[in-house]
Amino acid sequence: MSTDAPDDRPTAERTPEAPEPRPEPAGGASRAGAGVRTGVAKLGWTRREPGSRRFPRITRSIARPEGGGRAAAGDAPAPARQWPMLLVLSLVGLGLILTAFDVTRVGTLLVGVALLVGAGLRWWLPSVGMLAVRSRFTDLVTYTVLGVVIVVLALMQQPNPWLELPFLDRTLHFTVD
């Protein structure tokens, strides 16, 4: 059988051919770790070009964030498995609805509290499903900082703010005058 003859098998039955190995560069490329990713080997990425600092074009898998597993058992329905994310999204949605109906201070407070609830869930629960986006530390810092900023801004909302910070008032008057 000739290698130039077309393959009559359906494409689903064909196995991909392995690429031809490239020659190793001169100068000690056979030493340990040459041409192999160090540090991302756990992620299952394919081998990259020797001496290249770029990640491969095709990844085999991506590591899930710490705590990114299901929040409930696998046989539970999908909403039950992702209840932490659904709780946070429900609070944010309710806050946005209140804001749309001109109850802006309470609606904005609810959005900030939803982020703080997300930070609390991320800290206390071992698995929070899709609420885990990055590492636990990064998620905690992001959710907490954004939640606190939104709550403080909602409390300072004009007219008749519930929270007055004198140093911000002086700063504003200094810049305007």
Side-chain angles (χ1 to χ4, degrees):
M1 180 185 269
S2 168
T3 57
D4 294 337
D7 195 353
D8 293 334
R9 292 180 293 168
T11 55
E13 294 179 9
R14 293 181 195 158
T15 58
E17 297 179 8
E20 295 182 17
R22 296 184 181 220
E24 292 186 15
S30 62
R31 64 178 184 253
V36 179
R37 303 162 326 280
T38 59
V40 292
K42 293 185 277 184
L43 298 178
W45 281 332
T46 58
R47 293 181 68 99
R48 65 178 180 180
E49 300 289 324
S52 172
R53 300 183 114 192
R54 293 183 182 177
F55 289 117
R57 290 184 193 154
I58 300 173
T59 57
R60 300 271 183 223
S61 67
I62 300 294
R64 199 182 274 172
E66 174 191 349
R70 295 178 174 146
D75 58 346
R81 291 191 307 255
Q82 297 296 334
W83 70 266
M85 184 67 156
L86 288 176
L87 175 67
V88 172
L89 286 177
S90 298
L91 289 173
V92 169
L94 181 61
L96 291 175
I97 288 171
L98 288 173
T99 302
F101 285 116
D102 209 25
V103 188
T104 55
R105 183 171 292 154
V106 175
T108 310
L109 270 172
L110 197 54
V111 170
V113 168
L115 286 170
L116 293 175
V117 166
L121 289 173
R122 186 70 171 104
W123 187 28
W124 283 307
L125 295 178
S127 293
V128 290
M130 292 190 319
L131 194 60
V133 179
R134 298 158 293 266
S135 70
R136 185 169 300 215
F137 175 78
T138 305
D139 283 343
L140 278 172
V141 169
T142 304
Y143 293 150
T144 303
V145 167
L146 289 175
V148 167
V149 166
I150 291 173
V151 165
V152 168
L153 289 175
L155 292 174
M156 294 174 55
Q157 184 178 356
Q158 297 290 328
N160 304 323
W162 294 353
L163 175 68
E164 293 187 26
L165 298 175
F167 69 90
L168 289 179
D169 189 40
R170 282 179 280 182
T171 304
L172 177 66
H173 287 297
F174 176 74
T175 57
V176 172
D177 287 342

